[in-house]
Amino acid sequence: MDTTPEPFESVIAGPQGSGVAPSDGPPLLSLRGISKSFGAVQAMRHVDLDVPAGQVTAIIGDNGAGKSTLIKTISGIWAQSSGHILWKGQEVHIHTPRDASDLGIATVYQDLSLCDNLDIVQNMYLGRETTKKGLLNEIEMEIATRKTLSDLSVSTVKSVRQLVGSLSGGQRQAVAVARAVMRESELVILDEPTAALGVSQTAQVLELIHTLKSHGLAVIVISHNLSDVFAVADRIAVMYLGTLVHEGPISQYDTASAVELITTGRSSRVPNTVATSV
């Protein structure tokens, strides 16, 4: 059976395909009253968050603020203890990573989960290889890989047959993102995508995020680097001690107000209309 995925462009081509939700419709992803407990420990409390299609939402906060718990709940690693998740306005139940993937949610974790001893094509299709007459269809996999990287404007990779272990940090991040979007994702979650990268590699990753947005995909970025956040985000959501304390358009914030919210959970520098009390 031919399991070749649709090219990246066809995945996002518009309403006739599996593309993004219309901009005038409900948010692509909505969280309502999401809480998560581990025994007596309350890791996350009553989080309400909307993630629109075609926009970059940055989730920021100090270590232990609940960012990872929130992302793992969306990604199906952990089920929420209470609350509701809505996808395109319809309530869904995400119990496993497969449930999230089937909806169109792809998560690229900080470790990227790539195999250094395999080439780019092999990493892109690992566990879902295309076959033809019982043999690996290397040609189709290579063509689809090249097209996906091209659609993402990844031009620094010399050959899709390079071993991933030979790639730079920025190139590895691009391969991990390309693998995610090849699986018909509509929401891509990036966990600290520029951590430990140099200046030029960081610029590549930020440009990649802009490209995802330009194709109409929703992106959630978790980052401690506020310079990167202000360079790519359309919206900011601030977590503090397991609570989402503030969220809104990037235009409402500056670095000082973001730092104040991260460290204290409140700020006099931003409008109170969207604030959530701790």
Side-chain angles (χ1 to χ4, degrees):
M1 182 177 66
D2 185 3
T3 58
T4 304
E6 297 181 50
F8 178 53
E9 290 287 0
S10 67
V11 170
I12 59 172
Q16 298 304 316
S18 63
V20 300
S23 59
D24 58 349
L28 183 66
L29 175 73
S30 295
L31 308 180
R32 295 292 178 264
I34 297 294
S35 298
K36 178 62 181 177
S37 298
F38 297 94
V41 177
Q42 186 87 27
M44 190 168 56
R45 295 182 294 276
H46 309 299
V47 171
D48 292 336
L49 177 66
D50 288 333
V51 178
Q55 293 189 29
V56 179
T57 301
I59 299 177
I60 61 176
D62 208 349
N63 292 332
K67 304 186 303 297
S68 294
T69 302
L70 178 61
I71 292 311
K72 289 180 179 179
T73 300
I74 298 172
S75 302
I77 302 296
W78 296 320
Q80 71 268 27
S81 302
S82 61
H84 306 277
I85 300 176
L86 289 80
W87 182 255
K88 300 179 183 178
Q90 301 296 317
E91 185 170 2
V92 294
H93 302 281
I94 304 177
H95 299 293
T96 66
R98 175 60 64 87
D99 293 338
S101 179
D102 288 345
L103 287 173
I105 300 172
T107 304
V108 180
Y109 293 102
Q110 192 170 346
D111 62 7
L112 303 181
S113 299
L114 298 174
C115 297
D116 288 349
N117 62 324
L118 300 179
D119 64 32
I120 294 173
V121 175
Q122 292 168 327
N123 270 277
M124 294 277 280
Y125 282 89
L126 188 61
R128 49 194 289 276
E129 292 81 358
T130 297
T131 59
K132 185 176 182 180
K133 296 182 179 179
L135 300 174
L136 290 177
N137 194 335
E138 298 281 0
I139 295 176
E140 287 196 16
M141 289 191 292
E142 187 168 321
I143 290 173
T145 296
R146 285 175 177 166
K147 176 164 177 50
T148 302
L149 291 174
S150 175
D151 290 339
L152 289 172
S153 302
V154 178
S155 58
T156 60
V157 174
K158 294 180 180 179
S159 169
V160 294
R161 289 301 180 181
Q162 280 183 264
L163 292 180
V164 163
S166 71
L167 301 178
S168 70
Q171 291 170 329
R172 290 166 60 87
Q173 187 72 239
V175 170
V177 172
R179 181 174 62 183
V181 301
M182 183 178 273
R183 301 182 182 185
E184 303 184 23
S185 304
E186 298 183 55
L187 168 60
V188 179
I189 302 172
L190 303 177
D191 181 19
E192 298 288 354
T194 60
L197 297 185
V199 174
S200 62
Q201 295 175 0
T202 294
Q204 292 174 16
V205 173
L206 298 182
E207 184 59 34
L208 181 62
I209 294 172
H210 282 300
T211 301
L212 292 173
K213 171 187 169 181
S214 70
H215 282 305
L217 277 71
V219 182
I220 293 178
V221 176
I222 299 90
S223 180
H224 284 90
N225 190 317
L226 291 181
S227 295
D228 293 349
V229 167
F230 280 95
V232 297
D234 298 293
R235 301 183 61 80
I236 286 181
V238 186
M239 297 289 294
Y240 179 76
L241 299 180
T243 302
L244 196 155
V245 293
H246 215 284
E247 65 89 22
I250 190 73
S251 59
Q252 292 185 350
Y253 305 88
D254 57 21
T255 302
S257 61
V259 170
E260 195 173 1
L261 284 163
I262 290 170
T263 55
T264 69
R266 55 179 55 87
S267 174
S268 59
R269 299 170 181 265
V270 290
N272 293 326
T273 52
V274 294
T276 303
S277 58
V278 179

